[in-house]
Amino acid sequence: MNETVALDVRHLQVVLGEHVIVRDLSLAFPVGRVTAVMGPNGAGKSTLLRVLAGLLAPTAGEVLLGRRPLAAYGRRELARRLAILPQRPQVPADMTVARLVACGRYPYGSLLHRDKAADRRAVAAALALTGMTDFAERQVASLSGGESQRAWLALALAQEPELLLLDEPTTYLDMAHQLQVMEIIRRVNHERGTTIIMVLHNLQQAARYADNLAILSDAELQAWGPPADVLTPTLLARVFGVRAEYFHTDGGRQALLPVGLLEES
Ligand code: ADP
Ligand code: MG
């Protein structure tokens, strides 16, 4: 087992009902890096993330965290190592942001036996990092989309995980709030060294914020590597069925943009 690997996925297979969602996927997620998982709707990205979080047992194969398979970890022990922010977290009724974020401390001991000062520090740091300190006493249900997403992110950060799994963390947000969340995620990666694995749809955000991309479709890993190597017109045509072209800015930057459906051309 290589110490530069955060999560080692070996010959993973996931079958749900009669559907093969993931077929023989092997992939080593590098430690301290940001990986974006991309692919069409229904490709199995959320399913993969749930398996990586230990929430869903694979049909075959295994996922190693450190030297041990996820299945060998206890619930709390695992929650101290990794946190997941699902695609649509359920907003609890009548809960303040502070209480929601404090739930992230659950893995660190029972009500009677816990380090309350460490809990307070972790919650305060998570609120500060997400810019949610001033919202601590607000009801979660009363927050805007961007604020709500930051509150959930703060919950995951209060867990102080070495590995953070995020399922479409920006999908329901406007452009500015998408970038705000991406910047927070980048800071978490830089300042805490947290390994990030996140499902993204936006090409520009993936190119800008991810060190590596994992492209998933038809139950298989279609491509893996740095965005500049992976994101090509050929790949986007094959995996997403879109026609894409390179655009160049005056400043010398290059962006690959979808310009139409393949069948139109
Ligand atoms: P993505 O996140 O890439 O959009 P999902 O992982 O949510 O894809 O779903 C992948 C496929 O698995 C879809 O076809 C979905 O209908 C199917 N699926 C998801 N959950 C279940 C389930 N519990 N039972 C059967 N099929 C499921
Ligand atoms: Mg999904």
Side-chain angles (χ1 to χ4, degrees):
M1 182 78 201
N2 195 328
E3 277 179 26
T4 61
V5 174
L7 217 45
D8 197 4
V9 176
R10 294 185 176 175
H11 298 295
L12 193 72
Q13 186 192 27
V14 182
V15 180
L16 296 175
E18 293 166 3
H19 298 277
V20 179
I21 313 294
V22 178
R23 178 186 301 123
D24 196 24
L25 185 140
S26 294
L27 182 56
F29 291 94
V31 82
R33 295 298 173 134
V34 178
T35 299
V37 178
M38 306 185 80
N41 293 135
K45 304 179 297 295
S46 295
T47 305
L48 174 65
L49 224 58
R50 284 167 51 75
V51 172
L52 298 183
L55 296 173
L56 179 68
T59 310
E62 61 182 2
V63 180
L64 300 179
L65 173 67
R67 292 165 197 280
R68 294 158 62 199
L70 287 184
Y73 284 83
R75 236 180 118 87
R76 285 184 190 225
E77 187 185 17
L78 193 56
R80 289 193 293 268
R81 306 284 298 272
L82 64 83
I84 179 167
L85 178 56
Q87 203 166 343
R88 289 189 187 86
Q90 296 296 311
V91 179
D94 286 340
M95 191 179 263
T96 63
V97 170
R99 276 202 45 214
L100 177 74
V101 177
C103 292
R105 302 304 296 168
Y106 160 81
Y108 289 90
S110 64
L111 271 178
L112 293 177
H113 302 94
R114 56 185 321 127
D115 183 345
K116 293 205 180 66
D119 288 349
R120 269 197 302 273
R121 270 199 307 275
V123 169
L127 289 170
L129 194 45
T130 52
M132 289 302 285
T133 306
D134 292 343
F135 294 84
E137 296 313 317
R138 282 273 297 274
Q139 293 288 320
V140 178
S142 78
L143 300 175
S144 73
E147 292 156 3
S148 173
Q149 193 63 327
R150 277 149 54 205
W152 286 102
L153 197 50
L155 161 61
L157 295 180
Q159 268 174 256
E160 299 184 325
E162 65 206 62
L163 185 65
L164 183 57
L165 306 168
L166 305 159
D167 199 351
E168 299 193 27
T170 59
T171 291
Y172 302 103
L173 307 179
D174 66 45
M175 285 178 284
H177 289 96
Q178 289 195 13
L179 290 171
Q180 188 178 45
V181 165
M182 296 305 294
E183 289 294 331
I184 293 167
I185 293 166
R186 174 186 274 177
R187 274 188 64 193
V188 171
N189 172 250
H190 283 183
E191 293 177 13
R192 298 187 172 187
T194 310
T195 303
I196 311 275
I197 301 173
M198 60 181 165
V199 177
L200 282 186
H201 282 300
N202 185 296
L203 293 178
Q204 268 56 53
Q205 285 171 15
R208 178 164 171 194
Y209 291 99
D211 299 301
N212 291 293
L213 305 186
I215 311 292
L216 205 63
S217 80
D218 298 323
E220 297 191 6
L221 185 68
Q222 303 292 335
W224 159 262
D229 298 348
V230 168
L231 292 178
T232 61
T234 311
L235 186 279
L236 296 187
R238 183 160 60 84
V239 172
F240 294 92
V242 299
R243 207 151 43 81
E245 291 175 11
Y246 288 109
F247 289 80
H248 300 269
T249 67
D250 292 342
R253 296 228 285 201
Q254 173 179 284
L256 185 61
L257 296 174
V259 293
L261 291 170
L262 210 54
E263 57 212 29
E264 290 170 355
S265 51

